[in-house]
C-alpha cells in the first residue's frame, strides 16, 4: 500500500517516467529468494506479457543480497545492509542509470526464448534483443561488466544468462538503454541532474492537475504520478502521444475514450487537452471511424469506442471558456470530430431513423452490459447522448472558427437528436434500448440507460428527477462506494469476481459520467455525495480506484458466464490508470463545493 | 494445378491471388478446408484455420474433391460445385454455389465481432486479424448469428450460401476498419478470367525452362505471384511473402531471390530488390522481415545478398529499362547498408564484420554458431565482397570514379583476408574475435565462398568443388546438404544442420558455374530440381529415413509430405532461377 509520493509501492506501480516504455517493478510477494526487481518494457507481446523480462538483484562481493527499497517518481533507492544503489531515468529517452558508491554491484538474469539475441560487442557493451520487446544495451561507465552467456545451436536459443556489474574502487555507474529498433552507446547525463530534472517534470504535471481538498493530497500526488507514467511518446504505429491504460499486464494500450477522460482531468493545460483528444484522430480511417484501442504495434478496429469526445470537450470548453480556446487547436479537432460523428450516422444507422446503434459490446465501452443481452445491433440512449454532445461541440468549435452556418447546423442536429432520443427511448420512467432491426424495446437495467444524464439541463426536469431518484436508490444503483453498473434489482445483476465487467461492478467511468451529469443537471447534492463517496474510497485505498470488487459478491443471474477480465493472473505493476482522471474530476467538483461552503 | 487428385494439394499452399489477404486451404491435421486471413503478429500465423468450409446438400455434409488453377478453386460434389475466385480488387473474394450449399462455420473468441446488418450483409471482426463482410449477391445467405453478451462476441455460428434453381453468389470483403457496400460486382466468370490474365502477364517475367521442369515452373510462378502483398498497412510497396499462412512475412533476403528469377523483367526485379530499403533505418540497417502489421522483430537482419543480386541482374538480364535514377537509388541504399555491416557489426574495428545472431546468416541452427558469437563467417564475407563489388559497379555507372575505386579496394581487402587467413586448405574457417580463434566446423557456410566463382584461385575452387560433389560429404540425391554428412553434428531433420535448402543450392551452383565447373554444376542442379519435382517446393528436403549420426527414424512433420515447411515462394524463385539458367 502506498503511503506517500516518496514511498511508492512498486509491486503495484511501475517505476518509470513520462514518455518512457522502460519500467521497473519489485515483487514483494516473491516466495523464494526474497524480493525481486524486474526490468521490462511496456510492450504488448501476443504471446503474453513479460513483466519479468530481466530479473535484477543487488550484490555484494559477487553474491546477491537482501534489500528493501524506497521510490519516488524521480529516484529508486535499493537499500541493503552494505549501502545503497540508486536508479533514475536519464533525459535521453529509454535510458536507466544505476549507481552505487558503497561497493555494491548488481546482477541481471535473463531467460531467453528461441531466436532472441545476446551478443557481446567486445567494446564493453552487451546487446540483447527480445522478440516483440525490442533491444537493450548494457554498458558500464565505471565498473566492471561480465556475463556467462552461451549459445545453444540446435535450439537456436541463448542459454539463461547472468550479467554482473561490479564496482571499481568501490564505485559503480552503468546504464541500460532500450530501443525498438537498434541500440547504440550513449553519453549519459549527470545522475543528480537527471534526478532533479525528473522531479521538476513530475512537479510540473502535478501542477497541471486540479487542486483537491487537502485530505486527498497524497492520493492526488500518486494520481499525478500515474498520469505522468501513462503518457507514452509516439513509436511505430503511434504517431502522437497517447495515455496508456496499464504499463504492465493485460491492457498495455490506450483506448480511444480513455484519452478524453484525461483531457477532462487536465483541462487547465489546453495544449494537452487538444493533443490527447486528437491522438486517436491521427488513426482515424478514411470513413471517419476511430479504433477501439491502440499501442505502438497494433491499432484495433475490430470494434470502436463510444463518441465520448463531446462529453469531455464540453467539460474542458466550459472550464476554459470558448473565448480562451486557441483557434488552431479547434481547427485540428473540428474536421475529424465532424467526420467521426458522420461515421456513426452513416454506418451505425441501418434503418435511417436518425438513432444510431451499437454493433458490438466494446463499442459501448461497458463491454458486457445488459443492453446487449438480447443481441446486436442495439439502439441505446447513451450513444445518442454522446453523439448529441459531439454535435454540440462541433457547433461550438465551428463558432470559434467563425463558421457560423455550420455551427447552426450542428446545434440544430444536436437538439433534434435529443428530441428524438426522448421521443423514442423514454418510456415515462426510464430510458430504454431498442433492437435496431425489429424495433423491439429492451428493458435493460444497465447504467447505460442513465448515461443520458450527461446531457444535464438539456433534459426536461421530469426526466432528470426520475433518473436521479433511480441512481440514488440503494435497491438500484446507489452504494456508498459508487454507482453500480447494473441495477441491484435486475435479474442479470452479477458483482462476482472474477466475473462480468459491467453487470454490477462499480467502475470509475460510471462515476465520472453520472457525477458530472448529475452536477450539470443541477442535482448537485446527489453529485457531491457520490463524488465524496468515490474520492474517499480512493483515500481509503491510498490510490485512485478504477473499479471495486465487493466483499459481498452477489449474482442474480441463472448461470455463470466467463470473466471478461481474468483477475487471477499474477504479475507486478498491474495498476490501471483509468480511475486516475476520474478521481481528479470528481475531486475537483468536491473541492469547488467545499470551498464555497 | 493443385487439388485432391493432383500431385500436390492445398495442404502445401493456399489458393489465393496477387495482393489478396484472403485465402482458402486444406488443414493437414483435420483435412478440412478453411477460409483464412493472412495477417498476424508473429511469423507463424496464429490461426491459419480460421473459418471452416464445407459442402452440404439437403442438410447433410457431402463428400467433395477440389482442384484449382491460378484463378479459380472449385469444390466438386456429386450434385454441384462451389467455386472461388476474386474481384479485380483482390480484397474481395467471390464465391458461386451451384446445386449444393456452402457452409462457413466459425467459433469466435471473446471480443470478436459479428453482426447481421439490416440489408442482410454480415460483418465479422477477428482479434488481431482484421474484418470481413459477407454480401449475398444472389440466392440465399442464411446465418444463425446470435450475440453472447457475456463473451462479448457471437455464439459459434454458421453461414450458408444456398442456391435455388440458379446458382447463389457471395462476395467476401476483407478489410481492417470500415467497408462501405459496393454498388455492383463483376460477373463471376469474367472475374476469374481477369485473374487468369493477370497471372499469365506475371508469368512473362520469367524465361523458358527445360520441358521437364515446365509444370513445376508454373507452380513456382503461381506460388510467387499469389504471395505478393502490399502496398497495405506497413507495406509501402508490393513484396513477396514466404508463404501466406506458415511464414506469414516478407523476408529481406528472399526479395533478392525473387528478383534474380525475373530474367525477363529487369524493372520489376530491380524494384523488388529495392523494396526492402523502404524500411532502412537511419543508420543504414535493414529489418529481418516485414508484414502489413509492421515488423515483429528488429533484433536481427538477414544476409547482405543484395550486392550479389545487383551483379546477377546487371550481368545477366537485359537492362535497357534501368535508368541512372535506378542506379543512384540502389547505390545510395546499398552503400549505406554495406557500411552499416562494417560499422555496426564490428564494434572493435577489426575491419571484418561479424554475425551477431545466427538468424542474420539465414542458417539459424547451424553448427557455425556452436562456439558462440560474434563470428566473422566466410559466407558473410563472401556476400560483402559482392556488396563492395556492386557498389563499385554502380558508382562507376554513375561516373563516380573515386567511390568506385574505394569499394573495389574494400572488396579486394575482404577477399585477400579470406584467402590468406581463413582458407585452411580444405575450407574457409570462421574467426571468433571474442576468443581470437579460428573455428572450423562441418557447416556448408564454410564452403559457401565457392559463390565467389572465378574470383577464387583455381586451387581453392577445385578443392571446394571436389568436396561439394563428394557424396560422402555434401552431395546427396536431393542436392547439397547443409552439414557435412560425416560431421557428428549432422541432423537431417534440421534445416541448416543437414537438410537441403534452396538458398544454399543457388549460391553453390552459380558459384561452381562461374568458376568453370559447369558440368558438375549442371549435374548437381539436376539432382536438386528433380528432387523438388516429387517433393514439392519445400524449403528443407532430404532423402534420409534415418539420421546418419543419431540413428533416429525421421518422420515427416505435420506440415505435409516433406520435412520442414510446406511450399515456399522462396523455393519457387530459386527453382525458376536455376531452371532458367544452369539447368539449361
Amino acid at each position: 500500500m502506498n503511503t506517500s509520493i516518496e514511498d511508492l509501492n512498486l509491486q503495484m506501480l511501475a517505476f518509470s517516467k513520462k514518455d518512457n516504455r522502460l519500467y521497473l517493478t519489485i515483487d514483494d510477494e516473491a516466495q523464494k529468494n526474497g524480493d525481486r526487481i524486474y526490468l521490462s518494457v511496456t510492450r504488448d507481446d501476443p504471446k503474453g506479457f513479460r513483466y519479468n523480462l530481466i530479473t535484477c538483484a543487488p550484490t555484494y562481493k559477487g553474491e546477491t543480497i537482501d534489500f528493501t527499497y524506497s521510490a519516488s517518481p524521480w529516484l529508486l533507492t535499493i537499500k541493503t545492509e552494505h549501502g545503497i544503489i540508486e536508479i533514475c531515468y536519464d533525459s535521453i529517452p529509454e535510458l536507466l542509470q544505476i549507481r552505487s558508491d558503497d561497493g555494491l554491484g548488481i546482477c541481471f538474469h535473463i531467460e531467453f526464448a528461441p531466436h532472441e539475441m545476446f551478443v557481446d560487442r567486445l567494446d564493453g557493451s552487451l546487446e540483447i534483443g527480445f522478440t516483440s520487446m525490442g533491444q537493450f544495451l548494457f554498458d558500464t561507465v565505471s565498473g566492471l561488466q561480465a556475463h556467462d552467456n552461451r549459445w545453444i545451436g540446435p535450439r537456436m536459443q541463448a542459454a539463461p544468462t547472468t550479467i554482473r556489474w561490479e564496482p571499481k574502487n568501490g564505485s559503480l555507474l552503468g546504464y541500460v538503454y532500450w530501443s525498438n529498433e537498434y541500440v547504440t552507446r550513449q553519453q549519459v547525463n549527470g545522475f543528480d541532474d537527471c534526478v532533479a530534472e525528473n522531479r521538476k517534470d513530475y512537479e510540473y504535471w502535478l501542477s497541471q492537475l486540479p487542486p483537491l481538498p487537502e485530505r486527498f493530497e497524497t492520493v492526488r500526488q500518486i494520481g499525478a504520478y500515474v498520469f505522468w507514467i501513462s503518457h507514452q511518446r509516439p513509436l511505430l504505429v503511434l504517431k502522437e502521444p497517447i495515455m496508456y491504460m496499464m504499463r504492465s499486464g493485460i491492457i498495455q494500450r490506450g483506448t480511444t475514450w480513455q484519452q478524453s477522460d484525461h483531457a477532462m482531468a487536465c483541462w487547465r493545460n489546453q495544449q494537452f487537452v487538444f493533443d490527447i483528444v486528437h491522438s486517436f484522430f491521427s488513426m482515424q480511417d478514411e470513413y471517419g471511424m476511430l479504433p477501439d484501442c491502440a499501442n505502438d504495434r497494433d491499432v484495433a478496429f475490430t470494434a470502436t469506442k463510444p463518441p465520448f469526445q463531446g462529453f469531455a470537450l464540453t467539460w474542458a470548453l466550459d472550464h476554459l471558456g470558448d473565448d480562451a480556446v486557441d483557434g488552431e487547436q479547434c481547427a485540428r479537432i473540428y474536421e475529424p470530430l465532424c467526420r467521426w460523428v458522420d461515421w456513426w450516422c452513416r454506418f451505425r444507422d441501418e434503418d435511417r431513423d436518425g438513432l444510431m446503434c451499437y454493433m458490438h459490446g466494446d463499442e459501448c465501452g461497458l463491454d458486457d452490459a445488459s443492453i446487449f443481452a438480447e443481441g446486436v445491433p442495439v439502439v441505446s440512449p447513451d450513444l445518442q447522448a454522446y453523439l448529441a454532445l459531439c454535435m454540440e461541440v462541433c457547433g461550438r468549435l465551428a463558432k470559434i472558427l467563425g463558421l457560423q452556418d455550420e455551427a447552426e447546423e450542428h446545434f440544430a442536429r444536436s437538439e433534434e437528436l435529443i428530441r428524438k432520443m426522448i421521443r423514442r427511448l423514454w418510456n415515462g420512467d426510464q430510458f430504454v434500448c431498442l433492437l435496431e432491426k425489429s424495433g423491439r424495446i429492451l428493458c435493460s437495467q444497465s447504467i447505460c440507460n442513465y448515461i443520458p444524464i450527461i446531457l444535464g439541463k438539456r433534459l426536461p426536469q421530469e426526466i432528470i428527477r426520475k433518473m436521479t431518484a433511480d441512481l440514488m436508490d440503494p435497491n438500484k444503483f446507489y452504494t456508498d462506494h459508487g454507482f453500480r453498473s447494473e441495477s441491484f434489482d435486475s435479474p442479470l445483476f452479477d458483482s462476482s469476481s472474477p466475473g462480468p465487467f459491467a453487470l454490477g461492478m462499480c467502475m470509475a467511468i460510471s462515476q465520472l459520467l453520472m457525477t458530472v451529469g448529475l452536477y450539470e443537471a443541477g442535482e448537485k447534492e446527489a453529485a457531491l455525495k457520490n463524488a465524496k463517496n468515490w474520492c474517499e474510497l480512493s483515500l481509503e485505498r491510498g490510490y485512485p480506484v478504477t473499479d471495486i470488487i465487493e466483499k459481498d459478491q452477489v449474482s442474480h443471474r441463472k448461470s455463470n458466464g466467463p470473466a471478461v477480465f481474468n483477475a487471477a493472473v499474477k504479475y507486478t505493476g498491474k495498476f490501471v490508470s483509468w480511475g486516475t482522471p476520474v478521481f481528479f474530476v470528481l475531486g475537483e467538483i468536491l473541492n469547488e463545493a467545499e470551498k464555497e461552503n | 494445378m493443385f487439388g485432391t487428385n493432383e500431385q500436390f494439394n492445398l495442404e502445401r499452399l493456399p489458393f489465393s491471388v496477387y495482393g489478396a489477404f484472403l485465402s482458402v486451404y486444406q488443414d493437414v491435421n483435420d483435412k478440412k478446408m478453411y477460409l483464412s486471413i493472412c495477417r498476424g503478429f508473429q511469423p507463424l500465423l496464429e490461426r491459419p484455420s480460421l473459418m471452416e468450409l464445407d459442402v452440404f446438400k439437403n442438410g447433410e455434409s457431402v463428400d467433395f474433391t477440389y482442384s484449382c488453377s491460378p484463378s479459380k478453386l472449385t469444390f466438386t460434389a456429386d450434385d454441384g460445385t462451389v467455386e472461388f475466385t476474386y474481384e479485380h480488387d483482390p480484397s474481395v473474394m467471390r464465391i458461386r454455389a451451384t446445386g449444393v450449399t456452402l457452409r462457413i462455420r466459425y467459433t469466435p473468441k471473446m471480443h470478436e465481432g459479428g453482426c447481421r446488418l439490416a440489408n442482410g450483409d454480415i460483418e465479422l471482426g477477428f482479434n488481431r486479424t482484421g474484418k470481413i463482410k459477407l454480401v449475398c449477391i444472389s440466392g440465399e445467405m442464411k446465418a444463425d448469428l446470435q450475440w453472447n453478451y457475456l463473451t462479448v462476441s457471437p455464439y459459434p455460428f454458421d453461414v450458408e450460401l444456398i442456391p435455388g434453381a440458379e446458382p447463389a453468389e457471395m462476395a467476401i470483403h476483407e478489410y481492417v476498419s470500415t467497408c462501405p457496400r459496393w454498388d455492383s460486382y463483376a460477373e463471376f466468370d469474367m472475374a476469374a478470367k481477369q485473374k487468369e490474365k493477370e497471372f499469365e502477364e506475371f508469368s512473362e517475367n520469367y524465361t523458358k525452362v527445360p520441358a521437364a521442369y515446365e509444370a513445376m515452373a508454373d507452380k513456382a510462378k503461381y506460388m510467387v505471384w499469389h504471395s505478393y502483398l502490399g502496398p497495405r498497412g506497413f507495406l509501402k510497396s508490393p513484396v513477396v511473402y514466404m508463404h501466406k499462412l506458415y511464414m506469414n512475412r516478407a523476408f529481406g533476403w528472399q526479395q533478392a531471390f525473387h528478383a534474380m528469377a525475373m530474367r525477363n523483367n529487369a524493372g520489376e526485379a530491380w524494384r523488388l530488390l529495392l523494396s526492402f530499403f523502404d524500411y532502412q533505418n537511419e543508420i543504414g540497417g535493414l529489418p529481418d522481415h516485414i508484414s502489413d502489421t509492421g515488423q515483429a522483430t528488429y533484433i536481427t537482419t538477414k544476409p547482405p545478398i543484395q550486392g550479389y543480386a545487383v551483379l546477377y541482374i546487371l550481368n545477366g538480364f537485359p537492362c535497357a529499362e534501368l535508368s541512372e535514377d535506378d542506379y543512384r537509388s540502389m547505390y545510395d541504399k546499398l552503400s549505406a547498408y554495406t557500411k552499416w555491416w562494417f560499422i555496426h557489426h564490428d564494434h572493435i574495428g577489426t575491419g571484418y564484420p561479424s554475425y551477431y545472431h545466427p538468424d542474420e546468416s539465414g542458417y539459424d541452427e547451424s553448427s557455425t554458431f556452436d562456439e558462440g558469437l560474434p563470428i566473422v563467417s566466410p559466407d558473410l564475407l563472401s556476400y560483402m565482397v559482392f556488396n563492395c563489388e556492386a557498389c563499385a559497379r554502380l558508382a562507376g555507372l554513375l561516373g563516380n570514379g573515386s567511390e568506385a575505386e574505394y569499394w573495389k579496394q574494400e572488396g579486394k581487402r575482404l577477399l585477400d583476408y579470406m584467402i590468406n587467413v581463413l582458407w585452411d586448405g580444405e575450407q574457409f574457417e570462421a574467426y571468433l574475435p571474442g576468443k581470437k580463434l579460428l573455428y572450423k566446423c562441418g557447416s556448408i557456410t564454410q564452403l559457401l565462398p565457392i559463390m565467389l566463382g572465378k574470383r577464387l584461385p583455381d586451387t581453392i575452387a577445385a578443392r571446394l568443388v571436389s568436396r561439394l560433389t563428394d557424396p560422402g560429404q555434401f552431395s546427396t540425391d536431393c542436392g547439397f546438404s547443409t552439414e557435412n554428412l560425416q560431421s557428428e553434428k549432422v541432423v537431417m531433420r534440421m534445416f541448416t544442420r543437414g537438410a537441403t535448402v534452396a538458398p544454399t543450392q543457388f549460391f553453390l551452383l552459380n558459384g561452381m558455374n562461374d568458376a568453370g565447373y559447369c558440368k558438375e554444376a549442371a549435374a548437381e542442379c539436376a539432382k536438386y530440381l528433380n528432387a523438388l519435382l516429387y517433393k514439392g517446393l519445400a524449403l528443407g528436403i532430404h532423402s534420409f529415413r534415418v539420421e546418419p549420426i543419431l540413428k533416429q527414424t525421421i518422420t515427416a512433420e505435420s506440415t505435409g509430405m516433406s520435412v520442414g515447411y510446406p511450399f515456399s515462394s522462396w523455393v519457387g524463385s530459386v527453382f525458376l532461377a536455376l531452371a532458367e539458367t544452369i539447368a539449361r
Side-chain angles (χ1 to χ4, degrees), chain A residues 42-55:
Chain A
T42 299
R43 239 321 152 69
D44 194 19
D45 185 337
K47 289 186 181 163
F49 42 95
R50 296 166 79 177
Y51 66 98
N52 52 358
L53 195 66
I54 300 171
T55 308

Side-chain angles (χ1 to χ4, degrees), chain A residues 250-490:
Chain A
I250 55 176
I251 320 174
Q252 291 179 63
R253 50 187 58 227
T255 66
T256 304
W257 69 333
Q258 176 205 1
Q259 312 307 305
S260 293
D261 302 344
H262 289 285
M264 292 174 74
C266 199
W267 63 264
R268 282 167 177 71
N269 188 317
Q270 192 181 139
Q271 182 73 52
F272 173 81
V273 167
F274 284 95
D275 281 349
I276 213 66
V277 170
H278 189 269
S279 62
F280 270 69
F281 285 110
S282 68
M283 297 178 260
Q284 190 171 35
D285 84 358
E286 61 192 293
Y287 300 99
M289 183 179 182
L290 295 184
D292 180 330
C293 54
N295 58 27
D296 52 48
R297 298 181 64 233
D298 178 28
V299 180
F301 278 100
T302 310
T304 183
K305 276 289 182 276
F308 198 85
Q309 292 82 1
F311 173 66
L313 286 171
T314 298
W315 177 265
L317 292 176
D318 284 349
H319 283 75
L320 287 167
D322 288 17
D323 292 342
V325 175
D326 180 70
E328 261 185 50
Q329 300 292 0
C330 283
R332 275 177 79 201
I333 295 286
Y334 175 64
E335 189 264 336
L337 185 62
C338 291
R339 291 176 55 233
W340 176 220
V341 170
D342 288 344
W343 179 86
W344 282 98
C345 296
R346 180 179 171 194
F347 292 100
R348 289 293 184 269
D349 182 13
E350 288 278 297
D351 58 8
R352 296 285 175 254
D353 67 350
L355 291 175
M356 278 51 76
C357 63
Y358 291 130
M359 288 190 183
H360 189 300
D362 291 0
E363 293 184 346
C364 152
L366 302 183
D367 307 353
D368 53 2
S370 62
I371 62 171
F372 299 106
E374 296 193 46
V376 290
V378 63
V379 175
S380 182
D382 57 326
L383 177 55
Q384 319 316 315
Y386 290 135
L387 281 169
L389 287 179
C390 275
M391 291 167 181
E392 188 182 284
V393 164
C394 285
R396 287 173 79 168
L397 296 176
K399 207 164 161 192
I400 293 168
L401 292 170
L403 305 168
Q404 198 56 39
D405 289 346
E406 287 182 35
E408 295 305 323
E409 274 179 37
H410 292 303
F411 290 138
R413 214 174 163 199
S414 173
E415 287 162 11
E416 173 58 21
L417 179 55
I418 295 172
R419 276 196 291 274
K420 206 169 271 187
M421 179 188 80
I422 294 170
R423 192 166 63 241
R424 296 280 308 278
L425 302 181
W426 176 257
N427 71 358
D429 290 313
Q430 67 165 88
F431 281 105
V432 297
C433 301
L434 305 174
L435 286 176
E436 166 88 342
K437 280 187 274 202
S438 64
R440 187 159 66 82
I441 293 170
L442 309 173
C443 275
S444 148
Q445 298 304 311
S446 170
I447 201 156
C448 293
N449 292 330
Y450 291 81
I451 288 175
I453 196 67
I454 61 175
L455 294 169
K457 291 182 178 162
R458 299 168 190 80
L459 293 170
Q461 193 55 41
E462 182 58 17
I463 289 179
I464 294 172
R465 191 186 63 75
K466 287 200 171 171
M467 288 209 289
T468 306
D470 284 351
L471 287 168
M472 299 307 287
D473 182 347
N475 291 321
K476 291 184 186 288
F477 293 98
Y478 181 83
T479 78
D480 56 13
H481 48 261
F483 297 118
R484 301 182 181 103
S485 46
E486 179 82 5
S487 175
F488 190 71
D489 63 2
S490 161

Side-chain angles (χ1 to χ4, degrees), chain A residues 115 182 285 301 362 437, chain B residues 111 116 131 177-178 282 359:
Chain A
H115 293 284
Y182 61 88
D285 84 358
F301 278 100
D362 291 0
K437 280 187 274 202
Chain B
H111 291 278
R116 187 140 208 194
K131 298 158 93 161
S177 55
T178 308
E282 308 92 62
D359 288 7

Side-chain angles (χ1 to χ4, degrees), chain B residues 216-263:
Chain B
M216 183 56 84
D218 284 341
K219 293 178 175 62
K221 290 170 197 171
Y222 174 65
M223 186 74 211
V224 175
W225 177 70
H226 92 218
S227 298
Y228 263 90
L229 283 168
R232 181 97 181 256
F234 254 102
L235 297 174
K236 297 177 188 177
S237 63
V239 288
V240 184
Y241 273 38
M242 180 162 162
H243 189 293
K244 277 188 162 168
L245 303 181
Y246 285 107
M247 282 303 268
N248 170 242
R249 288 289 182 272
F251 289 84
W253 70 329
Q254 291 181 23
Q255 309 311 305
F257 291 97
H258 299 308
M260 288 190 281
M262 290 185 181
R263 195 162 276 272

Side-chain angles (χ1 to χ4, degrees), chain A residues 22 47 50 183 239 375 438 575:
Chain A
L22 263 186
K47 289 186 181 163
R50 296 166 79 177
V183 284
K239 303 303 175 202
S438 64
F575 192 80

Side-chain angles (χ1 to χ4, degrees), chain B residues 533-550:
Chain B
L533 292 185
Y534 65 90
K535 284 191 176 286
L537 300 171
L539 179 60
I541 61 171
H542 64 82
S543 56
F544 285 72
R545 294 186 191 282
V546 176
E547 289 286 354
I549 299 297
L550 299 173

Side-chain angles (χ1 to χ4, degrees), chain B residues 277-289:
Chain B
F277 289 99
D278 285 343
Y279 315 100
Q280 189 166 34
N281 62 30
E282 308 92 62
I283 56 171
L286 294 183
D288 186 326
H289 51 77

Side-chain angles (χ1 to χ4, degrees), chain B residues 28-94:
Chain B
V28 71
N29 296 309
D30 63 17
K31 305 301 179 191
K32 293 181 184 175
M33 306 300 292
Y34 288 90
L35 179 73
S36 193
I37 301 177
C38 166
R39 180 176 291 115
F41 284 78
Q42 299 295 325
L44 286 175
L45 202 64
E46 290 129 351
R47 289 187 293 170
S49 302
L50 192 63
M51 304 186 84
E52 184 190 314
L53 302 172
D54 204 354
V55 176
F56 273 65
K57 182 74 179 176
N58 298 327
E60 299 284 328
S61 174
V62 296
D63 291 338
F64 64 93
T65 60
Y66 67 84
S67 70
C68 77
S69 68
S71 61
K72 191 168 75 167
L73 165 66
T74 305
F75 294 175
T76 305
D78 286 342
D79 293 305
T81 59
V82 180
E83 300 161 283
F84 302 78
T85 190
Y86 292 79
E87 285 276 336
H88 179 63
D89 177 347
S91 72
V92 183
M93 177 181 273
R94 291 286 305 280

